Amino acid sequence: RASLDILLIFQSGVFNLDLFDAPFSIRTKRRLTFVGLLGNFVEDIPQFVIQCLVIKQVSMYMPLTWAAPATSLLAIIFGIVRRTIFYGIHRVKRAESVAMKKLAAPLIDPPEGEIWK
């Protein structure tokens, strides 16, 4: 999962540096988001379930015993929210890009036979 996050950083456009403006297609960004969500479900949820089963088996309930599953649950929520926000941001950016292209199209390519005024 860490390598997916690094790829997402390289296309984030942070600080308006060319280094962080990797040209990923919308399809690639969607796939990265989907694979990240899949990773959350495949790794984090089984870990949370196992930790809950261990707590059930332990006879002494201490605050530290509850720290691990609580942290895992927060990691699951954070991962899902982060990737959902990332996906939403890129949908908005794509919609803006499409809208800008539609607005700019008449300025760039006038219809055939039409004279610039």
Side-chain angles (χ1 to χ4, degrees):
R1 259 189 347 199
S3 58
L4 287 175
D5 293 334
I6 290 171
L7 287 174
L8 295 176
I9 289 171
F10 278 124
Q11 64 84 40
S12 67
V14 70
F15 304 121
N16 288 328
L17 295 175
D18 289 338
L19 173 69
F20 297 113
D21 196 19
F24 290 149
S25 68
I26 299 297
R27 185 176 183 189
T28 302
K29 291 176 188 177
R30 274 193 220 145
R31 284 184 178 179
L32 288 174
T33 302
F34 176 73
V35 169
L37 281 171
L38 187 65
N40 282 349
F41 287 108
V42 170
E43 291 179 25
D44 295 338
I45 292 178
Q47 177 182 353
F48 176 71
V49 169
I50 290 170
Q51 289 169 342
C52 289
L53 291 173
V54 168
I55 285 177
K56 189 176 179 182
Q57 296 296 322
V58 174
S59 59
M60 293 176 35
Y61 291 102
M62 298 171 28
L64 189 58
T65 311
W66 291 94
T71 306
S72 291
L73 184 61
L74 288 175
I76 291 168
I77 293 169
F78 175 73
I80 291 171
V81 168
R82 179 175 54 121
R83 296 195 190 281
T84 304
I85 289 172
F86 173 78
Y87 182 72
I89 288 171
H90 284 287
R91 282 189 64 148
V92 168
K93 284 184 179 179
R94 181 171 184 245
E96 287 175 354
S97 174
V98 168
M100 291 302 288
K101 285 180 183 176
K102 285 182 180 178
L103 288 173
L107 300 175
I108 296 170
D109 297 324
E112 205 170 297
E114 188 173 308
I115 300 174
W116 286 90
K117 296 180 182 181

